[in-house]
């Protein structure tokens, strides 16, 4: 066998060894490290914004909006806002603020939640810092933790528009001990939509009285937790009456109904007429003899006697006129009967409730907003895709 080596194009004993530059792997590690670092910083940032704040007890209203969204309101409404709210609304911030109202005793107070990097000078001396957020209120804050600023930011982002939240039970004066149940509203496509499920209302329009509303079936359960509702019979008397379907109220002096109309689903009989009349002060005086022999008088519900009827019109010593006809009860406390006509629906469905501009302005003043009734529109509460919504006439 020969010892020669033959080289040709199909074989090569020279092997080449090379190394790929390691810069690419190092660059990827650096990028991943930076991203992880940013993620950790973002997580810490969110964590500091997600600390529970001592929300005042009795909170009944909050609004989530950026200063630019507040500045977009009409000049009249902006001037009606509480002075502290106006100070926050003048900030240049893309972060939303939370403007809230709460009840303490018989008074309404306000609070504002803001990020620490946008806290203007304010007259609210009761302040609490939790992480990167601050809550400033008019009165001493409780020692408790509730919602965080971050939860409000997420709620505002999710809705895509300013958000308003109302606790109906607290706003209507429910007795103590109820669990807050928030109704939230956001503005979209000309309607103020809520998260509350609401079936469609009858298509017949409501009246143009100052307050006109329908009651869905099951009024007794809806009134649980309330000592009384203004201008309506007490709950213990309502359960003795036929189902109430519609209420119409016209106001004279603030807080006083000059005209009341109650529509029931069934005609009223004599005993039910006595319950209804007694609810509105149409009572009889009955003498009672006290143990010491003196005579006193108590007020009792009127009772129909032989040859008399509680149905039809009647007048009391105060000059008020009441009338019970079939399934309708009317009470007139003024000298003239108001001209009430059907109101035009402002949506493609019937309304459950209608509030005149005067009533809207009165409610705004109840929440500390001093607005003129000429600057607001009547509103109607309707059902939109199975959810409660508000439209403006």
């Amino acid at each position: 066998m020969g010892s020669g080596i033959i080289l040709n194009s199909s074989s090569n004993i020279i092997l080449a060894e090379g190394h790929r530059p390691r810069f690419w792997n190092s660059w990827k590690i650096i990028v991943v490290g930076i991203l992880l670092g940013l993620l950790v910083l973002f997580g810490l940032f969110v964590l500091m914004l997600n600390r529970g704040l001592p929300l005042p007890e009795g909170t009944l209203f909050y609004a989530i909006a950026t200063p630019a969204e507040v500045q977009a309101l009409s000049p009249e409404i902006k001037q009606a806002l509480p002075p502290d709210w106006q100070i926050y609304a003048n900030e240049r911030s893309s972060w939303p603020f939370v403007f809230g109202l709460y009840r303490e005793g018989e008074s309404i107070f306000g609070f504002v939640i803001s990020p620490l990097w946008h806290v203007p000078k304010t007259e609210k001396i009761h302040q609490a810092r939790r992480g990167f957020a601050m809550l400033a209120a008019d009165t001493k804050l409780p020692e408790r933790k509730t919602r965080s600023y971050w939860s409000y930011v997420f709620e505002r982002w999710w809705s895509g528009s300013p958000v308003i939240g109302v606790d109906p039970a607290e706003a209507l004066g429910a007795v103590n001990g109820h669990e807050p149940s928030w109704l939230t509203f956001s503005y979209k496509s000309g309607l103020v939509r809520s998260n509350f499920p609401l079936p469609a209302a009858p298509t017949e329009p409501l009246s143009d009285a100052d307050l006109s509303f329908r009651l869905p079936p099951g009024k007794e359960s809806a009134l649980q937790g309330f000592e009384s509702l203004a201008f309506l019979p007490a709950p213990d008397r309502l359960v003795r009456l036929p189902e109430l379907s519609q209420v119409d109220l016209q106001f004279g002096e603030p807080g006083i109904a000059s005209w009341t109309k109650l529509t029931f689903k069934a005609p009223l009989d004599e005993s039910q007429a006595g319950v209804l009349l007694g609810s509105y002060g149409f009572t009889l005086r009955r003498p009672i003899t006290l143990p010491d022999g003196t005579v006193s008088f108590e007020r009792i519900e009127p009772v129909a006697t032989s040859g008399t009827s509680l149905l039809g019109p009647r007048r009391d010593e105060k000059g008020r006129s009441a009338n019970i006809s079939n399934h309708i009860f009317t009470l007139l406390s003024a000298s003239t009967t108001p001209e009430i006509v059907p109101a035009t629906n402002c949506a493609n469905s019937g309304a459950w409730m209608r509030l005149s501009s005067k009533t809207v302005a009165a409610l705004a003043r109840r929440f500390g907003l001093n607005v003129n009734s000429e600057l607001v529109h009547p509103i109607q509460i309707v059902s939109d895709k199975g959810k409660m919504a508000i439209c403006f006439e």
Side-chain angles (χ1 to χ4, degrees):
M1 176 181 289
S3 58
I5 298 176
I6 301 174
L7 300 175
N8 54 42
S9 61
S10 61
S11 64
N12 194 340
I13 62 172
I14 301 175
L15 299 177
E17 181 179 357
H19 298 278
R20 187 169 58 183
R22 296 183 179 179
F23 173 76
W24 176 247
N25 287 333
S26 301
W27 183 81
K28 287 196 296 185
I29 293 174
I30 292 173
V31 170
V32 171
I34 292 174
L35 292 177
L36 288 175
L38 292 175
L39 186 62
V40 170
L41 290 176
F42 179 75
L44 292 174
F45 178 72
V46 172
L47 182 64
M48 295 300 288
L49 291 176
N50 205 30
R51 301 278 301 276
L53 292 161
L55 204 67
E57 296 180 4
T59 297
L60 54 92
F61 167 88
Y62 69 84
I64 315 171
T66 63
E69 290 165 342
V70 177
Q71 292 297 334
L73 298 172
S74 66
E76 294 81 8
I77 295 180
K78 285 190 296 182
Q79 292 176 4
L81 296 175
D84 275 327
W85 291 15
Q86 297 183 36
I87 294 174
Y88 279 85
N90 289 328
E91 285 286 299
R92 293 185 177 180
S93 170
S94 58
W95 286 82
F97 294 155
V98 182
F99 306 91
L101 297 172
Y102 62 98
R103 187 193 311 279
E104 190 167 298
E106 298 298 325
S107 302
I108 301 293
F109 299 97
F111 68 86
V112 182
I113 302 175
S114 62
L116 285 181
W117 54 90
H118 282 295
V119 180
K121 292 182 179 180
T122 174
E123 296 180 358
K124 298 182 185 297
I125 61 175
H126 299 278
Q127 301 177 354
R129 295 188 181 189
R130 299 293 185 271
F132 289 159
M134 172 180 282
L135 189 152
D138 290 329
T139 61
K140 185 178 179 180
L141 295 168
E143 293 295 334
R144 65 171 186 160
K145 295 180 180 179
T146 52
R147 288 190 62 175
S148 66
Y149 172 69
W150 180 256
S151 68
Y152 290 109
V153 172
F154 183 82
E155 184 179 359
R156 165 64 182 81
W157 172 81
W158 182 260
S159 67
S161 67
V163 176
I164 290 176
V166 178
D167 182 356
E170 189 68 44
L172 292 174
V175 295
N176 294 330
H178 77 282
E179 288 294 328
S181 179
W182 290 99
L183 286 178
T184 58
F185 299 88
S186 59
Y187 184 79
K188 294 180 181 178
S189 303
L191 283 177
V192 180
R193 291 182 169 87
S194 77
N195 63 335
F196 183 74
L198 186 68
T203 56
E204 293 80 8
L206 294 172
S207 74
D208 69 346
D210 287 332
L211 177 61
S212 178
F213 61 93
R214 296 183 173 96
L215 270 73
K219 64 179 184 304
E220 289 83 5
S221 61
L223 297 176
Q224 288 179 358
F226 293 92
E227 294 178 342
S228 63
L229 287 177
F231 317 114
L232 290 182
D236 61 337
R237 280 175 159 157
L238 273 178
V239 297
R240 300 161 59 190
L241 297 171
E243 193 80 16
L244 185 60
S245 60
Q246 184 170 328
V247 177
D248 299 280
L249 300 168
Q250 188 75 8
F251 300 107
E253 299 179 15
I256 299 178
S258 60
W259 179 80
T260 301
K261 178 183 177 183
L262 306 182
T263 304
F264 297 89
K265 291 185 178 179
L268 294 157
D269 59 27
E270 294 286 350
S271 63
Q272 293 166 341
V275 173
L276 188 54
L277 290 170
S279 300
Y280 287 93
F282 287 77
T283 56
L284 298 177
R285 295 177 67 198
R286 182 173 66 181
I288 56 174
T289 303
L290 301 177
D292 61 359
T294 59
V295 178
S296 180
F297 295 89
E298 66 173 347
R299 290 284 184 176
I300 61 173
E301 293 176 353
V303 178
T305 59
S306 178
T308 65
S309 174
L310 298 178
L311 304 176
R314 67 182 51 248
R315 195 175 184 90
D316 69 355
E317 62 273 12
K318 299 179 182 178
R320 300 182 303 164
S321 300
N323 186 30
I324 299 176
S325 176
N326 198 5
H327 61 287
I328 295 177
F329 167 80
T330 57
L331 174 63
L332 179 64
S333 302
S335 57
T336 58
T337 303
E339 297 181 2
I340 305 297
V341 298
T344 302
N345 292 335
C346 61
N348 295 324
S349 61
W352 283 106
M353 179 180 291
R354 180 190 182 275
L355 290 81
S356 70
S357 56
K358 184 170 68 175
T359 305
V360 174
L363 288 174
R365 287 192 293 270
R366 178 182 175 88
F367 290 124
L369 306 178
N370 189 18
V371 296
N372 193 314
S373 60
E374 298 177 355
L375 304 176
V376 295
H377 294 276
I379 65 173
Q380 296 182 18
I381 296 179
V382 300
S383 176
D384 179 70
K385 299 179 180 178
K387 300 291 185 180
M388 185 173 71
I390 296 175
C391 63
F392 299 89
E393 293 183 3

